[in-house]
Amino acid sequence: MTIVIDDTAVPPCATASEVYHDESLHSPRSRRDMSAHEWRAFVSLRAEAHRQCAGCPMLVDCLYRAVVEVDVSGFVACTTETDRARIRRELGIVVQQPQPTTLGMPRVGGGPVSHEAVMQMRQAHPKDTCQQLAERLGCSTSTVKRHLRRARLGVVEAAPKVAAAKAPPSVDDVLECFDRLESSQVA
Ligand code: SF4
C-alpha cells in the first residue's frame, strides 16, 4: 500500500516549530526588561509566527477554537495569550476547559500545548525526562520545564469556569474582535 502525504494539510506551526516553540513567544517579557537588540529579535520572531499563521489554511478555525473553545498557551492563530484574553473580554465569554483523554489534553491545530496537557502527560509518565515528555507532546523541552516550574512554584491556575449558558459567539464575532487587535496588523 502506498501512503501519500498531503503536505498542504500540515499547518506551518508543525513545520516551523523552531519559531512557535521559542520560549520568548510563550512567556514574553515586558519591553522594559529587554535590551533594544532583544526587543528587535522578539518583534521579528513574532512577526514571523504571525506571517506563518496568516498563510495557514486553518487560521479561522484555529483562532475560533483558541478563543472560544480551548485556552492554550503560546502564540496561536496570529494571537498571543493576551490577545485572546482581550477578545474573550470583548465577547464576554469564559473558556470551558477541555476534558482530558487517556492521551492527555487535546490541542488546538498544531499549536502550542497547554499547561494542563503538560501536567497530564507528567502524571501519565512520571519517570519520563523533560525531553521525553516534550517528544510525547510535540513541544520544546523548555516549554515542558516552564510548565513544571510553574507547578512546582505553586502558581495557581485559575479554576475552570463553566461558560455561561448563552449562545457561543459566531465566527464573525471573533473575527471582528480579532481585526481590532493592534497585533493583527503586524504582518
Ligand atoms: S497556530 Fe493555528 S493558524 Fe497558526 S499555523 Fe498553527 S494551525 Fe495554523
Side-chain angles (χ1 to χ4, degrees):
M1 182 174 72
T2 306
I3 297 174
V4 178
I5 296 175
D6 179 4
D7 280 337
T8 60
V10 179
C13 56
T15 53
S17 54
E18 73 285 356
V19 174
Y20 290 86
H21 291 171
D22 194 288
E23 194 69 17
S24 64
L25 278 186
H26 283 254
S27 313
R29 290 180 288 152
S30 79
R31 171 71 183 90
R32 284 193 306 278
D33 298 334
M34 291 193 216
S35 66
H37 173 73
E38 287 173 326
W39 176 250
R40 277 195 301 275
F42 169 72
V43 168
S44 164
L45 183 74
R46 188 180 57 187
E48 175 58 21
H50 198 288
R51 269 192 297 276
Q52 298 278 356
C53 282
C56 175
M58 302 175 190
L59 172 62
V60 174
D61 184 50
C62 185
L63 174 68
Y64 185 86
R65 294 196 62 204
V67 168
V68 178
E69 297 178 3
V70 189
D71 189 9
V72 293
S73 64
F75 193 92
V76 174
C78 293
T79 56
T80 62
E81 290 177 45
T82 305
D83 291 333
R84 293 191 294 278
R86 187 167 298 144
I87 294 175
R88 288 189 202 106
R89 273 199 303 279
E90 271 200 52
L91 293 170
I93 59 169
V94 289
V95 176
Q96 197 163 13
Q97 296 294 344
Q99 294 300 310
T101 68
T102 52
L103 296 175
M105 301 292 276
R107 295 177 66 180
V108 172
V113 296
S114 67
H115 181 74
E116 289 76 17
V118 175
M119 300 318 295
Q120 284 278 333
M121 197 59 82
R122 161 54 84 207
Q123 209 171 10
H125 304 281
K127 294 186 178 167
D128 271 11
T129 62
C130 288
Q131 188 177 351
Q132 287 168 324
L133 290 173
E135 283 166 9
R136 289 180 189 279
L137 289 159
C139 65
S140 68
T141 306
S142 62
T143 296
V144 170
K145 285 180 181 170
R146 177 169 58 84
H147 286 293
L148 295 181
R149 190 167 58 240
R150 278 169 65 184
R152 265 200 315 278
L153 293 173
V155 176
V156 179
E157 297 291 310
K161 295 180 184 173
V162 176
K166 66 175 189 178
S170 68
V171 171
D172 283 345
D173 292 337
V174 173
L175 289 176
E176 272 178 32
C177 294
F178 172 73
D179 285 342
R180 284 196 286 273
L181 292 175
E182 193 183 322
S183 57
S184 75
Q185 317 297 327
V186 169

